[in-house]
Amino acid sequence: MYIPFNELPPHARLWIYQANRPLTEEEQAKIKPLLQRFAEEWSSHGTGLQASAELLHGQFLVLANNETAAAASGCSIDKSVAFVRELEQLLQVTFFDRTRLAFLKAGEVEMVPMQELKSKVSAGEIDKNTLYFDTLVNNFGELQEAWPKPAGKSWLSRYF
């Protein structure tokens, strides 16, 4: 069962996939109906999930499920991963590269290879107040309250 993204309960579980590049307006328009259809059809052991799917900041695919209604099983999570892989093929984009970090700078998403993080911190290009898109956020309430959040309030705090 599809739930509009903004109507998810705060405890709804999230899976965030970060694209390696911003999606064009045309690509976003192309996948919007696919996201809704996936959320409508997503199920766990034959039980429909109370799910939603959204693209945020033109670069972050967010799948969500209200776990109090029905929990996502291993099989249903596998289905979601297969769906994201299909989107990768359709869009010629990568959603599973965890070696790049995303920051919000001057209103734009800036991707930073992880191996460059220390030098960017040393140069003052990234500091504890730089907004970071933490893909480890696991519920809708956290996403609404602090996403992106200051890098110093994330797992990146050890770099400051």
Side-chain angles (χ1 to χ4, degrees), residues 55-91:
L55 187 68
L56 301 177
H57 298 277
Q59 201 158 343
F60 302 94
L61 175 61
V62 183
L63 303 180
N65 178 47
N66 178 2
E67 296 265 306
T68 57
S73 65
C75 292
S76 60
I77 293 170
D78 289 348
K79 287 178 193 171
S80 70
V81 170
F83 171 69
V84 175
R85 293 274 186 215
E86 289 173 15
L87 291 179
E88 284 184 320
Q89 295 297 316
L90 176 70
L91 303 170

Side-chain angles (χ1 to χ4, degrees), residues 17-88:
Y17 299 93
Q18 173 180 290
N20 63 327
R21 63 170 175 78
L23 300 183
T24 66
E25 294 291 327
E26 182 180 297
E27 290 170 326
Q28 291 179 47
K30 182 188 279 187
I31 69 165
K32 188 172 178 111
L34 301 176
L35 296 176
Q36 183 164 343
R37 186 175 323 123
F38 174 77
E40 288 169 354
E41 297 172 358
W42 197 15
S43 64
S44 176
H45 301 291
T47 301
L49 300 176
Q50 287 187 2
S52 194
E54 189 75 31
L55 187 68
L56 301 177
H57 298 277
Q59 201 158 343
F60 302 94
L61 175 61
V62 183
L63 303 180
N65 178 47
N66 178 2
E67 296 265 306
T68 57
S73 65
C75 292
S76 60
I77 293 170
D78 289 348
K79 287 178 193 171
S80 70
V81 170
F83 171 69
V84 175
R85 293 274 186 215
E86 289 173 15
L87 291 179
E88 284 184 320

Side-chain angles (χ1 to χ4, degrees), residues 84-125:
V84 175
R85 293 274 186 215
E86 289 173 15
L87 291 179
E88 284 184 320
Q89 295 297 316
L90 176 70
L91 303 170
Q92 296 298 299
V93 67
T94 301
F95 282 109
F96 292 95
D97 180 3
R98 301 289 186 214
T99 65
R100 295 166 52 103
L101 306 170
F103 296 90
L104 184 62
K105 297 184 86 179
E108 299 289 324
V109 177
E110 180 181 316
M111 302 296 288
V112 175
M114 199 170 292
Q115 67 267 23
E116 293 179 19
L117 181 61
K118 285 183 182 179
S119 64
K120 294 222 178 242
V121 169
S122 294
E125 295 175 37

